[in-house]
Amino acid sequence: MIRLIEQEQVDDPSNDQGFLEKVSEIFEEGGWLEKALGFEYRKEQAQMAQRYAKSLTEGKHLLFEAGTGVGKSLAYLIPSILFARFARRTCLVATNTINLQEQLLEKDVLSVRELFNRVPGLETIADFKCALLVGRANYLCQNRLSRALMGQGDLFESYQRDEVQRIAEWVDSGAVEGIRQELSPPPNPLVWDLVNADSSVCSAKSCSPENCYYRRARALVEQADLIVVNHSLFFSLLGAGMGPSDDESGILFADDFLIFDEAHEIADVASDHLGVSLSSWSLETFLRQLYNPKKGKGLISKIGRESDLLAIENAALAASDFFQYLHMDTLGEKDRQRLRHSHSLPMEIFPPLSRVLRSLIELSDLASEESARMELRDQAKRIQAYLSDLSEVIEQKDENSVYWLERGGRSNQIIYLRSAPLEIATVLREELFAKDSSILLTSATITRKGSAEFFRNKIGAEKATECVVRSPFNYEKQISISIFKDCPEPQARDRSSYLQYLARSIHTLARNLEGGTLVLFTNYSDLRFCHNELKPMWQKMQRSIYAQGDQYSRSEIRKRVIEEGDALLLGAESFWKGFDAKGSCISQVILTRLPFENPSHPLLEAKSEILHSENRSSFHEITLPAAVIRFRQGIGRLIRSSTDFGDLVILDSRILKKNYGRDFISELPTNEYDVTCLLDLLGDEGLS
């Protein structure tokens, strides 16, 4: 129920028909998934597996919304692995969260292998090969580590030398995959940058699978039937031009086929990785790694000529002046500023950086050791990339891109120069959906009003077949929904009463709950205000309160919230759509505001201008559909299993007072009668 209150999812399987029949045989009621593994039959899961298997044989793209609890991972993994082995093609699964990657590799893949061992006729493919593909920079290069150990006096400060020793001890004690995620605490990024495999030093000529973590991983990827990758790396590789030769079909690998899980994320991730993102921190850190005049340390501290060291010192000063100008004169009091005209930013940074580039090229030509020569050439390529990105943004070279500046980082002092394609759909349509490879896009939240039209247009997948299966959870019994009628207007000029109401309501709702509460915000300023207000009270109660961006990483927060069971968690942005914690540790989700995007964001602003010129509404065509989908994603944080129960609280009374509120109410996870009655109650004018 919804309460309005004041404040309180054959025989020869190698041919298409045999393949389809085998999939049906596995997933049907009383089929092998039940008989071999004892898994519960879910008709929604069977529908998804059978429909996806059919799209593979037809070579078509498929959009599939599978509600929470359908078991979509097995619904696509089993058909995919069967098809990969029978058709001798590579399956690529792209996910957005580490949690899902771990679930796939450490749980679901093992279940599929056990299943195939028990199904007559499939025992011979139970040895299918699976590999995790992560970026080169995640792997340790033992050659670079050895060089760092020998030259650490020139490269590192004392605390960094301790970190190099810690990494060496980790290797000696038996690092498994040799990726930084194995190290706890995580390695110092400045040190890791000088020992990772993202370097020409780590090459097929000098490294082999026998002595190199990255080469070993590459060998596994090249032999794999199933490759798991994250969205960010996928679009980075796509943007870098990785792919099969022109006479081969496929997207990243020859004759591959692709699955996007958590597909609701791909438009944003693609925009981030197919545009420019250059930060003041990365450029200034890069120059200090080359040579730090205050410490006398750096990559070229011993081999650089006086003119080379001076060139780096001058470049560092020029970079500092450049970013200070952007901070004070261009951004001023704003955290984000769209760049509307080319050549509107200072150009003085280019000559000093170009001089460093020339120095690195000259030093690489003079180097006597091959490894030193390669290292210097790598650094030259990096500064060339910085120059290219600066030129791209300042000259605004692509008329189909949007350019802007923004502040970021924990203390909001890092300056970013960014660009993104104005229409990511155009890029994805050409780079993904025009290719001769079947693509499955699946998520629990890609439809609005039962249709994926907004999502398919957003990503350029207009020709994809669309299917939906609802969650098998009994939301009527598992969830209680409360909507606050009297919350002050969040956009009022004086927001003090709203913020006090917010903090007071959150405290009252969360403290009386035995389990944990997740509060979802749409901006960090409101989150920080509530955290500062509530922290003393929760410390007094001896209960934990966590805030995104405050002290712990997202994975550490999740671990602590699950362990403690009754914490208060304040989150924004990514917590709306990717935070997964089953059980009573999230017994309540509070939505502080309807999740509309900031209309002043440069990308949304540019799209809105185009629609306005065509006499179309950006609110109804972009802002509202995107907000409704995120609203569904936020609600989805509450019920993560068939045994979860919890309260959904909506504090934003605009859902009752504004006409667009009906779009949100119609997506609430309860029975249709409740929703219909509430909509009837609101009428045309809303409920005040």
Side-chain angles (χ1 to χ4, degrees):
M1 288 290 292
I2 300 172
R3 296 180 291 121
L4 302 183
I5 62 179
E6 295 294 334
Q7 194 172 350
E8 327 228 115
Q9 155 78 257
V10 195
D11 296 326
D12 179 15
S14 62
N15 61 66
D16 286 354
Q17 188 58 38
F19 165 68
L20 294 173
E21 290 177 0
K22 184 59 70 175
V23 171
S24 294
E25 183 184 326
I26 291 171
F27 284 94
E28 67 188 1
E29 190 168 7
W32 285 108
L33 207 56
E34 290 183 78
K35 290 190 291 186
L37 300 183
F39 288 2
E40 176 187 354
Y41 168 73
R42 303 176 189 174
K43 84 170 182 297
E44 298 88 357
Q45 184 183 54
Q47 290 169 352
M48 179 177 178
Q50 291 162 2
R51 188 64 194 84
Y52 174 49
K54 190 170 187 296
S55 75
L56 285 174
T57 62
E58 295 171 340
K60 294 182 177 179
H61 306 318
L62 178 65
L63 290 175
F64 207 109
E65 179 174 283
T68 306
V70 165
K72 65 180 186 298
S73 297
L74 287 180
Y76 65 67
L77 276 181
I78 292 171
S80 293
I81 295 169
L82 286 172
F83 191 74
R85 287 299 293 263
F86 296 150
R88 297 182 180 178
R89 297 176 61 180
T90 301
C91 175
L92 195 61
V93 179
T95 75
N96 197 53
T97 61
I98 293 174
N99 290 337
L100 183 52
Q101 288 183 351
E102 291 175 345
Q103 176 193 315
L104 290 174
L105 294 168
E106 298 173 10
K107 178 184 175 184
D108 295 332
V109 164
L110 298 181
S111 295
V112 177
R113 207 177 295 282
E114 183 180 356
L115 174 73
F116 289 174
N117 269 315
R118 297 190 180 192
V119 177
L122 297 185
E123 305 94 335
T124 57
I125 64 170
D127 64 345
F128 65 86
K129 294 180 172 60
C130 178
L132 175 66
L133 178 63
V134 300
R136 289 186 64 156
N138 290 279
Y139 292 94
L140 175 74
C141 175
Q142 288 176 274
N143 281 336
R144 295 188 82 198
L145 176 62
S146 297
R147 283 176 50 81
L149 287 166
M150 289 187 293
Q152 56 182 308
D154 300 331
L155 289 170
F156 304 113
E157 298 176 43
S158 57
Y159 79 95
Q160 294 174 325
R161 290 198 290 273
D162 293 340
E163 184 72 339
V164 177
Q165 291 297 328
R166 185 172 77 94
I167 293 172
E169 290 169 5
W170 165 59
V171 174
D172 291 340
S173 65
V176 181
E177 295 181 64
I179 57 176
R180 62 181 175 183
Q181 288 82 356
E182 289 180 42
L183 263 171
S184 182
N188 178 287
L190 301 180
V191 175
W192 187 259
D193 193 47
L194 293 174
V195 298
N196 69 43
D198 193 13
S199 164
S200 298
V201 173
C202 186
S203 63
K205 180 180 178 180
S206 57
C207 300
S208 69
E210 289 72 34
N211 62 15
C212 174
Y213 297 111
Y214 173 67
R215 294 292 152 185
R216 191 180 308 153
R218 277 294 303 270
L220 292 173
V221 166
E222 290 168 3
Q223 299 167 12
D225 303 296
L226 176 74
I227 301 171
V228 179
V229 64
N230 66 48
H231 289 173
S232 295
L233 180 59
F234 176 88
F235 286 111
S236 292
L237 295 173
L238 192 70
M242 177 175 169
S245 60
D246 293 339
D247 58 345
E248 294 177 310
S249 63
I251 299 173
L252 289 187
F253 300 91
D255 209 25
D256 60 10
F257 60 101
L258 176 62
I259 298 164
F260 280 113
D261 204 339
E262 303 168 303
H264 56 270
E265 300 277 9
I266 68 170
D268 292 339
V269 179
S271 289
D272 287 343
H273 289 273
L274 297 177
V276 169
S277 180
L278 188 158
S279 77
S280 56
W281 183 87
S282 65
L283 178 54
E284 291 171 343
T285 300
F286 167 74
L287 292 169
R288 284 197 301 273
Q289 285 181 318
L290 289 179
Y291 177 65
N292 186 335
K294 292 182 180 179
K295 306 290 185 178
K297 307 287 184 183
L299 188 66
I300 70 166
S301 60
K302 295 299 183 184
I303 62 174
R305 301 159 298 188
E306 185 177 346
S307 60
D308 302 319
L309 304 181
L310 183 60
I312 294 172
E313 192 171 353
N314 288 337
L317 290 171
S320 178
D321 289 346
F322 175 73
F323 288 113
Q324 183 66 16
Y325 175 86
L326 301 185
H327 174 70
M328 299 297 294
D329 292 69
T330 308
L331 282 168
E333 297 297 318
K334 300 178 181 178
D335 284 337
R336 188 183 288 118
Q337 175 69 49
R338 183 176 168 192
L339 300 173
R340 293 179 174 272
H341 306 290
S342 63
H343 300 92
S344 60
L345 302 180
M347 305 286 287
E348 288 81 2
I349 192 172
F350 285 98
L353 290 180
S354 298
R355 179 64 188 91
V356 174
L357 174 60
R358 289 198 301 274
S359 287
L360 291 171
I361 294 172
E362 290 169 4
L363 288 173
S364 68
D365 291 338
L366 294 171
S368 56
E369 294 181 14
E370 179 65 17
S371 56
R373 188 179 303 120
M374 289 190 292
E375 193 77 68
L376 288 163
R377 287 176 179 171
D378 280 344
Q379 304 307 320
K381 289 176 183 176
R382 288 183 65 180
I383 199 164
Q384 180 65 68
Y386 284 123
L387 284 163
S388 177
D389 285 348
L390 283 165
S391 177
E392 169 71 26
V393 173
I394 293 175
E395 297 180 29
Q396 299 193 18
K397 294 181 176 181
D398 184 2
E399 63 180 10
N400 296 314
S401 288
V402 180
Y403 300 87
W404 71 94
L405 305 177
E406 66 183 24
R407 290 192 181 92
R410 181 163 292 182
S411 59
N412 214 33
Q413 294 299 306
I414 298 175
I415 305 297
Y416 291 86
L417 290 84
R418 295 196 187 277
S419 78
L422 182 57
E423 290 296 340
I424 194 64
T426 303
V427 180
L428 298 183
R429 190 180 297 115
E430 180 179 341
E431 297 294 332
L432 288 180
F433 301 110
K435 301 293 179 67
D436 189 22
S437 291
S438 173
I439 301 175
L440 168 68
L441 302 109
T442 184
S443 166
T445 50
I446 56 178
T447 65
R448 171 178 173 250
K449 297 181 178 179
S451 168
E453 181 181 5
F454 172 73
F455 177 72
R456 67 167 69 243
N457 291 337
K458 185 176 182 180
I459 63 169
E462 292 88 355
K463 295 183 180 180
T465 304
E466 178 182 326
C467 292
V468 176
V469 292
R470 298 303 182 192
S471 170
F473 296 159
N474 188 343
Y475 286 119
E476 185 178 357
K477 293 184 177 179
Q478 290 180 255
I479 190 169
S480 171
I481 304 174
S482 303
I483 303 175
F484 277 42
K485 293 166 55 180
D486 61 342
C487 181
E489 172 59 52
Q491 294 175 317
R493 180 170 297 179
D494 180 6
R495 303 186 74 243
S496 57
S497 61
Y498 167 73
L499 291 171
Q500 290 294 338
Y501 179 97
L502 209 58
R504 185 171 69 253
S505 300
I506 292 168
H507 181 60
T508 303
L509 289 162
R511 72 177 179 184
N512 295 324
L513 199 69
E514 290 186 8
T517 296
L518 169 62
V519 187
L520 295 173
F521 293 82
T522 60
N523 64 74
Y524 284 103
S525 60
D526 289 1
L527 184 155
R528 286 190 289 265
F529 176 88
C530 290
H531 183 232
N532 292 334
E533 287 284 307
L534 298 173
K535 189 174 181 178
M537 293 183 279
W538 279 70
Q539 288 177 331
K540 189 174 181 179
M541 293 190 302
Q542 297 186 327
R543 288 176 68 179
S544 296
I545 177 171
Y546 299 106
Q548 181 181 359
D550 176 49
Q551 183 177 1
Y552 301 106
S553 68
R554 177 179 158 133
S555 57
E556 180 65 22
I557 288 176
R558 179 178 180 272
K559 179 182 176 183
R560 287 171 174 265
V561 163
I562 292 173
E563 287 176 351
E564 295 173 18
D566 64 349
L568 172 59
L569 171 56
L570 313 181
E573 292 186 357
S574 59
F575 278 73
W576 281 80
K577 48 191 177 181
F579 189 79
D580 186 7
K582 296 183 177 70
S584 61
C585 63
I586 301 295
S587 293
Q588 180 172 236
V589 169
I590 301 174
L591 308 184
T592 59
R593 291 177 65 176
L594 299 179
F596 291 110
E597 287 186 68
N598 184 345
S600 65
H601 189 285
L603 198 53
L604 184 55
E605 186 180 68
K607 291 179 179 180
S608 298
E609 288 170 0
I610 293 173
L611 290 174
H612 181 71
S613 70
E614 299 170 354
N615 294 317
R616 296 159 63 190
S617 168
S618 61
F619 179 79
H620 288 99
E621 295 195 33
I622 300 178
T623 306
L624 182 58
V628 170
I629 289 178
R630 177 170 271 201
F631 177 74
R632 292 185 61 204
Q633 292 162 353
I635 294 171
R637 300 310 99 212
L638 182 59
I639 305 298
R640 306 303 299 171
S641 76
S642 59
T643 57
D644 282 355
F645 294 86
D647 301 325
L648 171 67
V649 180
I650 302 170
L651 297 182
D652 194 339
S653 58
R654 292 178 300 174
I655 197 172
L656 303 173
K657 300 174 180 178
K658 302 292 186 180
N659 287 333
Y660 58 69
R662 304 169 69 91
D663 289 67
F664 294 95
I665 289 170
S666 64
E667 300 290 350
L668 290 172
T670 185
N671 65 57
E672 293 182 8
Y673 177 77
D674 285 337
V675 173
T676 302
C677 285
L678 181 56
L679 291 172
D680 288 344
L681 179 63
L682 295 178
D684 293 333
E685 300 303 321
L687 181 65
S688 57

